Amino acid sequence: MGIYDFKMKSIDGKEVSLADYKGKVLLIANTASKCGFTPQYEELQELYKTYQEQGLVVLGFPSNQFAEQEPGSNTEVHNFCQINYGVTFPLFEKMDVRGKGAHPLFTYLTEKAPFKGFDLNHPIGGKLQGVLQEKFPEFLKGNDIKWNFTKFLIDREGNVVGRYEPTTAPLSMKKDIEKLLK
């Protein structure tokens, strides 16, 4: 099974196959509207706008699994993203991205790009690690997604080439994206 075998519903309920994105560079992120990392929507949109013509597609997957930071309906999520961050990249229905109920896409992504730890030198990395240890210790086990705005970079052939934890700002991924767009 590969990345192009997955199907899911867009935020407005239409079935979408990732095969529709064959030949594109994909940046897949699990997202939330009420998270400290929510401003990353702005940088994700900037990347999409900057590199869309060269073949980058950003795909956003809202999830309410992390301290219930995505409580709204799909319509509310969509409106929030458009009004507050001008999001024009594809968004999908809210889904589970970790645990037994995780959408198979995220199980696949985390198998291909395992968790390697947070950058504890990053000021928020240590805080995030501490919050998870204290309040959600089960989240630190295994390779599942640990928090909102974990990002996966996929090359034009559908290979998962990178995993970026929430503390990685999307714009800091520019060089990695540009290499894949050449």
Side-chain angles (χ1 to χ4, degrees), residues 20-92:
D20 296 347
Y21 301 110
K22 270 187 182 171
K24 303 283 187 183
V25 171
L26 303 178
L27 178 56
I28 295 174
N30 69 299
T31 61
S33 300
K34 301 196 180 314
C35 175
F37 296 108
T38 298
Q40 287 190 18
Y41 269 126
E42 189 174 335
E43 290 189 13
L44 290 169
Q45 177 61 29
E46 186 176 332
L47 287 172
Y48 181 60
K49 199 171 160 187
T50 301
Y51 297 111
Q52 180 182 11
E53 295 296 317
Q54 295 170 55
L56 175 70
V57 181
V58 175
L59 304 175
F61 292 86
S63 179
N64 195 38
Q65 284 189 284
F66 305 97
E68 299 181 356
Q69 294 180 341
E70 189 58 275
S73 68
N74 287 316
T75 301
E76 289 168 329
V77 170
H78 188 241
N79 291 342
F80 172 86
C81 290
Q82 284 189 325
I83 291 166
N84 293 287
Y85 295 102
V87 167
T88 59
F89 58 80
L91 293 169
F92 293 83

Side-chain angles (χ1 to χ4, degrees), residues 122-168:
H122 186 287
I124 298 173
K127 288 179 186 173
L128 182 55
Q129 175 90 16
V131 166
L132 292 175
Q133 282 174 334
E134 181 183 329
K135 297 185 178 187
F136 307 100
E138 68 280 8
F139 285 11
L140 290 170
K141 295 177 183 153
N143 290 316
D144 276 350
I145 290 177
K146 307 304 177 202
W147 205 253
N148 302 307
F149 290 90
T150 300
K151 298 161 284 292
F152 296 88
L153 193 56
I154 317 300
D155 70 14
R156 291 184 189 272
E157 288 77 47
N159 301 304
V160 181
V161 296
R163 173 178 175 156
Y164 304 83
E165 298 306 327
T167 53
T168 300

